[in-house]
Amino acid sequence: MTLNDVSAADEMLINEVIDGNTDSYREIVIRYEKKVVGIAYGIVHNEHDAMDIAQEVFLKVYRSLDKFRGQSKFFTWLYRITVNMSIDFKRKKTRKSTVTYDGDIKFMNEIPGRSTSPSKKLFIKEVYNKLNDAIEVLPEDQKATLVLREIENLSYQEIADILKCSTGTVMSRLFYARKKLRDMLKPYLSDGF
Amino acid sequence: MKHNCEYFKKLVSAKMDNEIDANQCRELDQHLFSCIECKLYYDDLRQMQLLTKKVFSEYKSNYSNKSLWANIAGQLTSKDENIIKYDKKRLPFWISSVVAASILIFGLLFLSTNKYSGVQNKCVVEWVESKRSSVMVYEDVSTKTTIIWMLSSQSNTDKKENIMKGAVS
């Protein structure tokens, strides 16, 4: 299904919701909930907060559907609301949320040709936590850009539409975000992950 | 134009995302062939991107399978549904404007007509003249009184004017 097909399907569902069919909105929620939670989690770094934000996003979208004029794709509008609400939530939250992953990281089993010895697993967990900490301290605009690029694989133009900036700004933010992450993870990268 | 390493490091980042054109790609490859620092930067970024993508994929996979819909549906009130339905049924702005303007114009016309006819309804005056005399019929519609004046020809003109003025006021 191409992006245009997705866009057309979304528009059809939105029209049905505006006509009073609440079940169509259920379809929209199911279609986008994982993506919205993923983006929110990437910014706020807390699962429960991400779920709360996602709920608020979908409620706000439902109440504002009449204002959606179709000038942009639906997901562009949805992701913009998600990013803005996540950033607002993060600003209001005074206590620092830390993420320390103690369980098994799923992708450890996906690395081809790598042994998963206990020391290796420990190393990977340490890198995982270090990367999470590094992402956490990125400026909001760089973090939002990185999240949209790495989670949703959106193009620079799509990210620019969501964040209402130029593609040059997107490129610049990604460059500086990756530069910072690389500087913080340099010792681990040289060990050969 | 000769670029510095900062420029090529930005190209490295964009190349990770397949966002550079063929010319820029060629230019970057030529630079990486000769610059060790940028080559190391390129290798580090490739490794880090792999790790970052894996980390972010964990975010999505950690998400509970329980759908948000159950919570959202419970918070949608009938007021929210009526907002959608009301907005759908609401007339377009231009139709509402035309209707409002029409009501205003007709209202003003109605009021002005009533005021004018109110004076005339107060009395009806009819003047009949002959060679020797004139007859003025004064009929007050509100009191249903009819007065007939017989006037001599000499003072007809003055009296006519005075009577007409008095009748209208």
Side-chain angles (χ1 to χ4, degrees):
Chain A
M1 209 176 187
T2 65
L3 270 176
N4 284 335
D5 294 333
V6 170
S7 202
D10 288 342
E11 202 177 310
M12 197 171 69
L13 285 171
I14 289 165
N15 288 331
E16 286 174 10
V17 175
I18 292 174
D19 283 336
N21 186 354
T22 318
D23 287 340
S24 296
Y25 195 65
R26 181 173 173 271
E27 289 300 314
I28 291 175
V29 171
I30 289 170
R31 187 178 290 188
Y32 285 105
E33 58 184 346
K34 271 199 174 182
K35 296 173 193 286
V36 168
V37 172
I39 292 169
Y41 189 94
I43 294 172
V44 301
H45 259 206
N46 181 291
E47 187 178 345
H48 293 294
D49 291 343
M51 295 283 286
D52 288 343
I53 291 168
Q55 277 186 39
E56 289 304 315
V57 165
F58 284 113
L59 283 171
K60 183 174 182 177
V61 163
Y62 184 83
R63 289 165 184 152
S64 308
L65 268 179
D66 57 314
K67 296 184 182 64
F68 176 63
R69 304 284 180 202
Q71 290 163 341
S72 61
K73 292 187 175 67
F74 173 72
F75 77 85
T76 302
W77 183 56
L78 175 66
Y79 290 173
R80 184 182 303 138
I81 292 173
T82 306
V83 167
N84 289 339
M85 287 186 82
S86 301
I87 290 174
D88 286 343
F89 185 93
K90 188 102 172 110
R91 282 177 187 163
K92 285 174 189 169
K93 200 131 176 140
T94 52
R95 60 182 169 88
K96 188 184 170 191
S97 61
T98 54
V99 175
T100 304
Y101 202 80
D102 293 324
D104 278 333
I105 301 172
K106 293 184 181 67
F107 72 77
M108 279 198 287
N109 298 324
E110 295 173 15
I111 303 167
R114 304 272 185 185
S115 65
T116 49
S117 61
S119 59
K120 192 70 177 178
K121 282 186 181 179
L122 195 64
F123 171 74
I124 291 170
K125 277 184 193 174
E126 195 179 329
V127 172
Y128 180 92
N129 289 326
K130 191 73 181 174
L131 181 57
N132 266 315
D133 290 343
I135 293 169
E136 180 72 8
V137 298
L138 284 175
E140 290 166 356
D141 53 353
Q142 290 179 16
K143 193 194 297 186
T145 310
L146 189 71
V147 164
L148 288 171
R149 174 62 213 160
E150 303 296 3
I151 288 185
E152 292 301 318
N153 285 321
L154 298 174
S155 68
Y156 282 13
Q157 186 57 56
E158 286 167 339
I159 296 172
D161 290 339
I162 291 168
L163 300 179
K164 292 194 174 180
C165 61
S166 66
T167 52
T169 302
V170 172
M171 182 176 169
S172 187
R173 285 179 186 170
L174 284 171
F175 166 70
Y176 287 112
R178 285 167 176 157
K179 191 167 180 287
K180 281 183 190 136
L181 294 181
R182 184 241 183 185
D183 290 341
M184 289 187 75
L185 289 170
K186 187 73 176 134
Y188 301 95
L189 295 172
S190 61
D191 284 346
F193 168 70
Chain B
M1 188 172 74
K2 196 168 179 177
H3 298 286
N4 57 15
C5 286
E6 178 98 344
Y7 167 81
F8 287 109
K9 284 176 181 173
K10 283 188 179 175
L11 278 191
V12 164
S13 175
K15 184 174 176 170
M16 299 289 158
D17 304 322
N18 296 318
E19 292 276 352
I20 58 173
D21 57 37
N23 286 337
Q24 288 172 318
C25 197
R26 199 165 30 249
E27 196 181 12
L28 176 63
D29 288 342
Q30 282 175 359
H31 179 78
L32 292 178
F33 187 74
S34 58
C35 180
I36 297 171
E37 183 191 340
C38 287
K39 182 70 172 68
L40 285 172
Y41 185 82
Y42 177 75
D43 291 337
D44 285 346
L45 233 59
R46 279 183 66 192
Q47 207 173 355
M48 202 187 66
Q49 191 187 37
L50 176 66
L51 178 61
T52 309
K53 280 193 181 294
K54 294 293 184 185
V55 165
F56 279 122
S57 72
E58 288 289 312
Y59 292 170
K60 276 169 117 173
S61 63
N62 283 343
Y63 167 69
S64 166
N65 284 330
K66 184 181 174 184
S67 173
L68 284 172
W69 177 248
N71 293 336
I72 292 168
Q75 292 186 55
L76 288 177
T77 60
S78 57
K79 185 184 171 187
D80 292 319
E81 292 181 7
N82 286 337
I83 287 172
I84 302 284
K85 286 177 189 171
Y86 171 73
D87 286 333
K88 178 70 178 173
K89 287 179 183 171
R90 195 168 52 186
L91 288 173
F93 178 72
W94 68 271
I95 293 180
S96 307
S97 305
V98 166
V99 169
S102 304
I103 291 171
L104 188 66
I105 291 167
F106 282 119
L108 287 171
L109 277 173
F110 177 75
L111 284 172
S112 61
T113 304
N114 275 344
K115 184 181 176 184
Y116 178 67
S117 62
V119 173
Q120 280 203 325
N121 283 340
K122 195 175 176 181
C123 65
V124 174
V125 179
E126 198 169 332
W127 190 271
V128 180
E129 284 190 0
S130 67
K131 285 183 181 177
R132 291 187 184 179
S133 63
S134 299
V135 176
M136 194 218 37
V137 178
Y138 177 93
E139 187 175 349
D140 190 332
V141 178
S142 57
T143 58
K144 295 184 181 174
T145 308
T146 304
I147 301 168
I148 301 172
W149 289 6
M150 298 286 290
L151 303 166
S152 65
S153 60
Q154 287 172 341
S155 59
N156 277 354
T157 306
D158 293 338
K159 281 191 178 176
K160 176 185 173 181
E161 285 177 4
N162 289 336
I163 288 166
M164 290 298 286
K165 280 180 192 173
V168 170
S169 64

